[in-house]
Tab-separated table of all heavy atoms in Angstrom:
chain	number	residue	atom	x	y	z
X	80	CYS	N	8.364	-1.579	-7.324
X	80	CYS	CA	7.037	-2.272	-7.507
X	80	CYS	C	6.338	-2.166	-6.145
X	80	CYS	O	6.757	-2.649	-5.127
X	80	CYS	CB	7.232	-3.623	-7.921
X	80	CYS	SG	5.802	-4.673	-8.064
X	81	GLU	N	5.126	-1.505	-6.253
X	81	GLU	CA	4.342	-1.406	-5.057
X	81	GLU	C	3.469	-2.651	-4.886
X	81	GLU	O	2.768	-3.071	-5.825
X	81	GLU	CB	3.381	-0.242	-5.232
X	81	GLU	CG	2.718	0.269	-3.975
X	81	GLU	CD	1.716	1.347	-4.274
X	81	GLU	OE1	2.049	2.232	-5.180
X	81	GLU	OE2	0.651	1.275	-3.653
X	82	ARG	N	3.769	-3.440	-3.810
X	82	ARG	CA	3.101	-4.773	-3.703
X	82	ARG	C	1.734	-4.764	-3.205
X	82	ARG	O	1.365	-3.884	-2.385
X	82	ARG	CB	3.994	-5.618	-2.847
X	82	ARG	CG	5.588	-5.620	-3.142
X	82	ARG	CD	5.713	-6.456	-4.511
X	82	ARG	NE	7.141	-6.169	-5.001
X	82	ARG	CZ	7.674	-6.886	-5.955
X	82	ARG	NH1	7.057	-7.884	-6.561
X	82	ARG	NH2	8.899	-6.593	-6.323
X	83	TYR	N	0.944	-5.688	-3.665
X	83	TYR	CA	-0.479	-5.834	-3.070
X	83	TYR	C	-0.837	-7.353	-3.091
X	83	TYR	O	-0.148	-8.166	-3.770
X	83	TYR	CB	-1.419	-5.087	-4.049
X	83	TYR	CG	-1.629	-5.797	-5.358
X	83	TYR	CD1	-2.666	-6.692	-5.526
X	83	TYR	CD2	-0.823	-5.431	-6.430
X	83	TYR	CE1	-2.902	-7.275	-6.682
X	83	TYR	CE2	-0.985	-6.053	-7.613
X	83	TYR	CZ	-2.024	-6.954	-7.796
X	83	TYR	OH	-2.203	-7.677	-9.021
X	84	ARG	N	-1.835	-7.557	-2.314
X	84	ARG	CA	-2.408	-8.917	-2.273
X	84	ARG	C	-3.913	-8.753	-2.191
X	84	ARG	O	-4.386	-7.979	-1.307
X	84	ARG	CB	-2.010	-9.671	-1.014
X	84	ARG	CG	-0.494	-10.120	-0.934
X	84	ARG	CD	-0.203	-10.839	0.232
X	84	ARG	NE	1.149	-11.418	0.140
X	84	ARG	CZ	2.151	-11.180	0.962
X	84	ARG	NH1	1.979	-10.341	1.983
X	84	ARG	NH2	3.369	-11.713	0.868
X	85	LEU	N	-4.697	-9.546	-2.867
X	85	LEU	CA	-6.093	-9.528	-2.806
X	85	LEU	C	-6.522	-10.617	-1.855
X	85	LEU	O	-5.956	-11.720	-1.730
X	85	LEU	CB	-6.771	-9.863	-4.098
X	85	LEU	CG	-6.459	-8.796	-5.281
X	85	LEU	CD1	-7.453	-9.165	-6.421
X	85	LEU	CD2	-6.663	-7.351	-4.900
X	86	THR	N	-7.637	-10.286	-1.110
X	86	THR	CA	-8.175	-11.259	-0.125
X	86	THR	C	-9.010	-12.213	-0.997
X	86	THR	O	-9.428	-11.948	-2.121
X	86	THR	CB	-9.063	-10.567	0.858
X	86	THR	OG1	-10.191	-10.021	0.158
X	86	THR	CG2	-8.310	-9.503	1.687
X	87	LYS	N	-9.345	-13.316	-0.235
X	87	LYS	CA	-10.272	-14.326	-0.894
X	87	LYS	C	-11.550	-13.571	-1.330
X	87	LYS	O	-12.050	-13.815	-2.467
X	87	LYS	CB	-10.619	-15.353	0.060
X	87	LYS	CG	-11.636	-16.318	-0.286
X	87	LYS	CD	-11.973	-17.410	0.751
X	87	LYS	CE	-13.241	-18.146	0.432
X	87	LYS	NZ	-13.737	-19.018	1.562
X	88	GLU	N	-12.084	-12.789	-0.538
X	88	GLU	CA	-13.318	-12.029	-0.825
X	88	GLU	C	-13.200	-11.121	-2.082
X	88	GLU	O	-14.076	-11.057	-2.973
X	88	GLU	CB	-13.817	-11.126	0.348
X	88	GLU	CG	-14.454	-11.992	1.527
X	88	GLU	CD	-13.299	-12.797	2.174
X	88	GLU	OE1	-12.187	-12.489	2.212
X	88	GLU	OE2	-13.680	-14.000	2.632
X	89	GLN	N	-12.097	-10.422	-2.146
X	89	GLN	CA	-11.829	-9.612	-3.301
X	89	GLN	C	-11.760	-10.500	-4.616
X	89	GLN	O	-12.278	-10.079	-5.619
X	89	GLN	CB	-10.591	-8.798	-3.169
X	89	GLN	CG	-10.657	-7.652	-2.203
X	89	GLN	CD	-9.307	-7.026	-1.915
X	89	GLN	OE1	-8.293	-7.623	-1.580
X	89	GLN	NE2	-9.434	-5.690	-2.090
X	90	ILE	N	-11.120	-11.623	-4.449
X	90	ILE	CA	-11.011	-12.513	-5.655
X	90	ILE	C	-12.303	-12.980	-6.124
X	90	ILE	O	-12.711	-13.007	-7.309
X	90	ILE	CB	-9.988	-13.722	-5.248
X	90	ILE	CG1	-8.546	-13.160	-4.982
X	90	ILE	CG2	-9.901	-14.683	-6.468
X	90	ILE	CD1	-7.620	-14.248	-4.454
X	91	LEU	N	-13.157	-13.449	-5.077
X	91	LEU	CA	-14.453	-13.914	-5.417
X	91	LEU	C	-15.332	-12.815	-6.009
X	91	LEU	O	-16.088	-13.055	-6.988
X	91	LEU	CB	-15.163	-14.444	-4.193
X	91	LEU	CG	-14.518	-15.728	-3.636
X	91	LEU	CD1	-15.225	-16.277	-2.336
X	91	LEU	CD2	-14.627	-16.893	-4.723
X	92	ASP	N	-15.170	-11.572	-5.572
X	92	ASP	CA	-15.966	-10.401	-6.170
X	92	ASP	C	-15.567	-10.241	-7.527
X	92	ASP	O	-16.439	-10.014	-8.448
X	92	ASP	CB	-15.607	-9.247	-5.304
X	92	ASP	CG	-16.317	-9.200	-4.035
X	92	ASP	OD1	-17.123	-10.037	-3.754
X	92	ASP	OD2	-16.016	-8.218	-3.211
X	93	CYS	N	-14.287	-10.382	-7.877
X	93	CYS	CA	-13.860	-10.237	-9.351
X	93	CYS	C	-14.478	-11.310	-10.118
X	93	CYS	O	-14.990	-11.052	-11.387
X	93	CYS	CB	-12.372	-10.410	-9.502
X	93	CYS	SG	-11.384	-9.055	-8.765
X	94	CYS	N	-14.628	-12.500	-9.646
X	94	CYS	CA	-15.141	-13.590	-10.456
X	94	CYS	C	-16.591	-13.484	-10.595
X	94	CYS	O	-17.119	-13.645	-11.687
X	94	CYS	CB	-14.747	-14.947	-9.811
X	94	CYS	SG	-12.972	-15.306	-9.799
X	95	ASP	N	-17.287	-12.984	-9.438
X	95	ASP	CA	-18.774	-12.708	-9.596
X	95	ASP	C	-19.031	-11.715	-10.738
X	95	ASP	O	-19.922	-11.787	-11.524
X	95	ASP	CB	-19.346	-12.270	-8.274
X	95	ASP	CG	-19.269	-13.353	-7.199
X	95	ASP	OD1	-19.161	-14.505	-7.572
X	95	ASP	OD2	-19.438	-13.006	-6.044
X	96	ALA	N	-18.238	-10.568	-10.676
X	96	ALA	CA	-18.464	-9.538	-11.688
X	96	ALA	C	-18.125	-10.096	-13.044
X	96	ALA	O	-18.918	-9.927	-13.992
X	96	ALA	CB	-17.542	-8.355	-11.365
X	97	GLY	N	-17.045	-10.875	-13.209
X	97	GLY	CA	-16.743	-11.475	-14.482
X	97	GLY	C	-17.825	-12.447	-14.919
X	97	GLY	O	-18.143	-12.435	-16.104
X	98	TYR	N	-18.436	-13.175	-14.040
X	98	TYR	CA	-19.542	-14.043	-14.456
X	98	TYR	C	-20.698	-13.267	-15.195
X	98	TYR	O	-21.145	-13.671	-16.189
X	98	TYR	CB	-20.048	-14.805	-13.306
X	98	TYR	CG	-20.967	-15.899	-13.722
X	98	TYR	CD1	-20.465	-17.158	-13.967
X	98	TYR	CD2	-22.374	-15.683	-13.816
X	98	TYR	CE1	-21.302	-18.263	-14.390
X	98	TYR	CE2	-23.218	-16.722	-14.290
X	98	TYR	CZ	-22.758	-18.003	-14.523
X	98	TYR	OH	-23.558	-19.018	-14.923
X	99	GLU	N	-20.959	-12.126	-14.647
X	99	GLU	CA	-21.960	-11.239	-15.183
X	99	GLU	C	-21.545	-10.803	-16.626
X	99	GLU	O	-22.519	-10.550	-17.432
X	99	GLU	CB	-22.242	-10.008	-14.327
X	99	GLU	CG	-22.739	-10.362	-12.879
X	99	GLU	CD	-24.090	-11.129	-12.995
X	99	GLU	OE1	-24.969	-10.739	-13.785
X	99	GLU	OE2	-24.220	-12.107	-12.270
X	100	TYR	N	-20.248	-10.556	-16.790
X	100	TYR	CA	-19.828	-10.120	-18.115
X	100	TYR	C	-19.727	-11.360	-19.071
X	100	TYR	O	-19.239	-11.118	-20.219
X	100	TYR	CB	-18.505	-9.396	-18.055
X	100	TYR	CG	-18.380	-8.327	-17.114
X	100	TYR	CD1	-17.304	-8.082	-16.329
X	100	TYR	CD2	-19.479	-7.364	-17.086
X	100	TYR	CE1	-17.203	-7.090	-15.364
X	100	TYR	CE2	-19.365	-6.266	-16.099
X	100	TYR	CZ	-18.249	-6.196	-15.271
X	100	TYR	OH	-18.212	-5.122	-14.448
X	101	GLY	N	-19.912	-12.443	-18.700
X	101	GLY	CA	-20.011	-13.562	-19.570
X	101	GLY	C	-18.770	-14.482	-19.534
X	101	GLY	O	-18.573	-15.296	-20.398
X	102	PHE	N	-17.874	-14.265	-18.530
X	102	PHE	CA	-16.645	-15.082	-18.407
X	102	PHE	C	-17.118	-16.471	-17.820
X	102	PHE	O	-17.869	-16.523	-16.851
X	102	PHE	CB	-15.625	-14.457	-17.519
X	102	PHE	CG	-15.002	-13.217	-18.351
X	102	PHE	CD1	-15.427	-11.941	-18.085
X	102	PHE	CD2	-13.949	-13.494	-19.177
X	102	PHE	CE1	-14.925	-10.897	-18.780
X	102	PHE	CE2	-13.421	-12.352	-19.910
X	102	PHE	CZ	-13.925	-11.051	-19.607
X	103	ARG	N	-16.580	-17.622	-18.328
X	103	ARG	CA	-16.849	-18.825	-17.901
X	103	ARG	C	-15.571	-19.583	-17.559
X	103	ARG	O	-15.538	-20.770	-17.266
X	103	ARG	CB	-17.726	-19.712	-18.802
X	103	ARG	CG	-19.114	-19.078	-19.012
X	103	ARG	CD	-19.978	-19.172	-17.626
X	103	ARG	NE	-21.230	-18.539	-17.820
X	103	ARG	CZ	-21.652	-17.287	-17.645
X	103	ARG	NH1	-20.632	-16.394	-17.161
X	103	ARG	NH2	-22.759	-16.818	-17.811
X	104	THR	N	-14.470	-18.806	-17.660
X	104	THR	CA	-13.147	-19.246	-17.159
X	104	THR	C	-12.533	-18.187	-16.402
X	104	THR	O	-12.414	-17.003	-16.916
X	104	THR	CB	-12.180	-19.676	-18.278
X	104	THR	OG1	-12.626	-20.783	-19.035
X	104	THR	CG2	-10.842	-19.923	-17.778
X	105	PHE	N	-12.021	-18.502	-15.221
X	105	PHE	CA	-11.280	-17.512	-14.349
X	105	PHE	C	-9.898	-18.037	-14.208
X	105	PHE	O	-9.606	-19.146	-13.884
X	105	PHE	CB	-11.962	-17.301	-13.065
X	105	PHE	CG	-13.398	-16.879	-13.107
X	105	PHE	CD1	-14.426	-17.758	-12.743
X	105	PHE	CD2	-13.751	-15.694	-13.740
X	105	PHE	CE1	-15.814	-17.371	-12.877
X	105	PHE	CE2	-15.052	-15.294	-13.929
X	105	PHE	CZ	-16.113	-16.186	-13.431
X	106	VAL	N	-8.957	-17.151	-14.516
X	106	VAL	CA	-7.560	-17.409	-14.427
X	106	VAL	C	-7.044	-16.711	-13.141
X	106	VAL	O	-6.988	-15.490	-13.206
X	106	VAL	CB	-6.776	-17.004	-15.654
X	106	VAL	CG1	-5.287	-17.289	-15.515
X	106	VAL	CG2	-7.363	-17.606	-16.880
X	107	LEU	N	-6.581	-17.431	-12.202
X	107	LEU	CA	-6.014	-16.891	-11.012
X	107	LEU	C	-4.508	-16.848	-11.233
X	107	LEU	O	-3.873	-17.923	-11.240
X	107	LEU	CB	-6.299	-17.704	-9.738
X	107	LEU	CG	-7.826	-17.886	-9.523
X	107	LEU	CD1	-7.949	-18.596	-8.151
X	107	LEU	CD2	-8.562	-16.605	-9.437
X	108	GLN	N	-4.016	-15.640	-11.345
X	108	GLN	CA	-2.540	-15.508	-11.623
X	108	GLN	C	-1.962	-14.627	-10.514
X	108	GLN	O	-2.485	-13.690	-10.018
X	108	GLN	CB	-2.396	-14.805	-12.908
X	108	GLN	CG	-0.847	-14.677	-13.378
X	108	GLN	CD	-0.763	-14.329	-14.876
X	108	GLN	OE1	-0.738	-13.211	-15.165
X	108	GLN	NE2	-0.601	-15.364	-15.723
X	109	SER	N	-0.683	-14.982	-10.267
X	109	SER	CA	0.094	-14.210	-9.190
X	109	SER	C	1.594	-14.502	-9.348
X	109	SER	O	1.939	-15.385	-10.140
X	109	SER	CB	-0.298	-14.665	-7.783
X	109	SER	OG	0.121	-15.951	-7.420
X	110	GLY	N	2.358	-13.610	-8.666
X	110	GLY	CA	3.750	-14.019	-8.460
X	110	GLY	C	3.824	-15.274	-7.587
X	110	GLY	O	2.778	-15.680	-7.088
X	111	GLU	N	4.979	-15.762	-7.415
X	111	GLU	CA	5.202	-16.887	-6.454
X	111	GLU	C	5.164	-16.340	-5.052
X	111	GLU	O	6.220	-15.952	-4.510
X	111	GLU	CB	6.349	-17.747	-6.788
X	111	GLU	CG	6.241	-18.479	-8.161
X	111	GLU	CD	7.152	-19.650	-8.356
X	111	GLU	OE1	7.901	-20.066	-7.415
X	111	GLU	OE2	7.245	-20.230	-9.436
X	112	ASP	N	3.918	-16.245	-4.489
X	112	ASP	CA	3.679	-15.621	-3.178
X	112	ASP	C	3.377	-16.663	-2.119
X	112	ASP	O	2.256	-17.174	-2.109
X	112	ASP	CB	2.596	-14.557	-3.333
X	112	ASP	CG	2.312	-13.864	-2.040
X	112	ASP	OD1	2.862	-14.210	-0.981
X	112	ASP	OD2	1.501	-12.914	-2.114
X	113	LYS	N	4.314	-16.916	-1.311
X	113	LYS	CA	4.153	-18.112	-0.320
X	113	LYS	C	3.197	-17.711	0.735
X	113	LYS	O	2.813	-18.696	1.572
X	113	LYS	CB	5.467	-18.686	0.122
X	113	LYS	CG	6.265	-19.194	-0.939
X	113	LYS	CD	5.643	-20.346	-1.603
X	113	LYS	CE	6.153	-20.504	-3.086
X	113	LYS	NZ	5.282	-21.398	-3.873
X	114	SER	N	2.720	-16.481	0.842
X	114	SER	CA	1.738	-16.152	1.878
X	114	SER	C	0.343	-16.822	1.584
X	114	SER	O	-0.463	-16.869	2.450
X	114	SER	CB	1.564	-14.694	2.147
X	114	SER	OG	0.845	-14.137	1.057
X	115	TYR	N	0.143	-17.205	0.319
X	115	TYR	CA	-1.022	-17.979	-0.006
X	115	TYR	C	-0.665	-19.485	0.071
X	115	TYR	O	0.013	-20.020	-0.746
X	115	TYR	CB	-1.561	-17.724	-1.338
X	115	TYR	CG	-2.052	-16.303	-1.532
X	115	TYR	CD1	-1.187	-15.282	-1.855
X	115	TYR	CD2	-3.412	-15.936	-1.492
X	115	TYR	CE1	-1.606	-14.001	-2.014
X	115	TYR	CE2	-3.836	-14.611	-1.695
X	115	TYR	CZ	-2.977	-13.703	-1.828
X	115	TYR	OH	-3.323	-12.380	-2.110
X	116	SER	N	-1.091	-20.178	1.149
X	116	SER	CA	-0.707	-21.537	1.279
X	116	SER	C	-1.568	-22.389	0.290
X	116	SER	O	-2.558	-21.907	-0.188
X	116	SER	CB	-0.993	-22.030	2.685
X	116	SER	OG	-2.407	-22.024	2.915
X	117	THR	N	-1.049	-23.654	0.143
X	117	THR	CA	-1.908	-24.490	-0.831
X	117	THR	C	-3.424	-24.646	-0.202
X	117	THR	O	-4.278	-24.699	-1.016
X	117	THR	CB	-1.128	-25.839	-0.960
X	117	THR	OG1	0.068	-25.521	-1.575
X	117	THR	CG2	-2.005	-26.858	-1.843
X	118	ASP	N	-3.408	-24.748	1.129
X	118	ASP	CA	-4.734	-24.780	1.741
X	118	ASP	C	-5.621	-23.650	1.442
X	118	ASP	O	-6.769	-23.720	1.012
X	118	ASP	CB	-4.693	-24.884	3.211
X	118	ASP	CG	-4.374	-26.364	3.668
X	118	ASP	OD1	-4.544	-27.310	2.877
X	118	ASP	OD2	-3.876	-26.469	4.778
X	119	THR	N	-4.997	-22.395	1.464
X	119	THR	CA	-5.751	-21.195	1.110
X	119	THR	C	-6.217	-21.188	-0.426
X	119	THR	O	-7.369	-20.922	-0.608
X	119	THR	CB	-4.869	-19.978	1.388
X	119	THR	OG1	-4.353	-19.976	2.757
X	119	THR	CG2	-5.536	-18.634	1.164
X	120	LEU	N	-5.172	-21.517	-1.243
X	120	LEU	CA	-5.569	-21.535	-2.588
X	120	LEU	C	-6.678	-22.603	-2.945
X	120	LEU	O	-7.613	-22.384	-3.798
X	120	LEU	CB	-4.296	-21.860	-3.522
X	120	LEU	CG	-3.290	-20.820	-3.454
X	120	LEU	CD1	-2.029	-21.193	-4.263
X	120	LEU	CD2	-3.793	-19.416	-4.204
X	121	CYS	N	-6.589	-23.787	-2.234
X	121	CYS	CA	-7.693	-24.801	-2.405
X	121	CYS	C	-9.024	-24.279	-2.068
X	121	CYS	O	-10.035	-24.435	-2.730
X	121	CYS	CB	-7.364	-26.036	-1.602
X	121	CYS	SG	-6.013	-27.105	-2.264
X	122	ASP	N	-8.978	-23.513	-0.945
X	122	ASP	CA	-10.233	-22.944	-0.452
X	122	ASP	C	-10.763	-21.923	-1.466
X	122	ASP	O	-12.010	-21.878	-1.793
X	122	ASP	CB	-9.990	-22.281	0.856
X	122	ASP	CG	-11.205	-21.553	1.421
X	122	ASP	OD1	-12.277	-22.133	1.331
X	122	ASP	OD2	-11.080	-20.357	1.949
Side-chain angles (χ1 to χ4, degrees):
C80 173
E81 198 186 317
R82 307 289 167 169
Y83 72 90
R84 293 184 169 116
L85 300 187
T86 62
K87 174 185 168 186
E88 287 65 37
Q89 288 175 305
I90 297 170
L91 292 176
D92 285 349
C93 290
C94 296
D95 291 346
Y98 191 87
E99 297 302 313
Y100 305 138
F102 290 94
R103 295 296 178 266
T104 292
F105 304 114
V106 182
L107 304 186
Q108 185 167 84
S109 68
E111 291 198 10
D112 180 353
K113 293 303 154 195
S114 77
Y115 296 83
S116 67
T117 298
D118 279 343
T119 305
L120 290 175
C121 284
D122 176 43

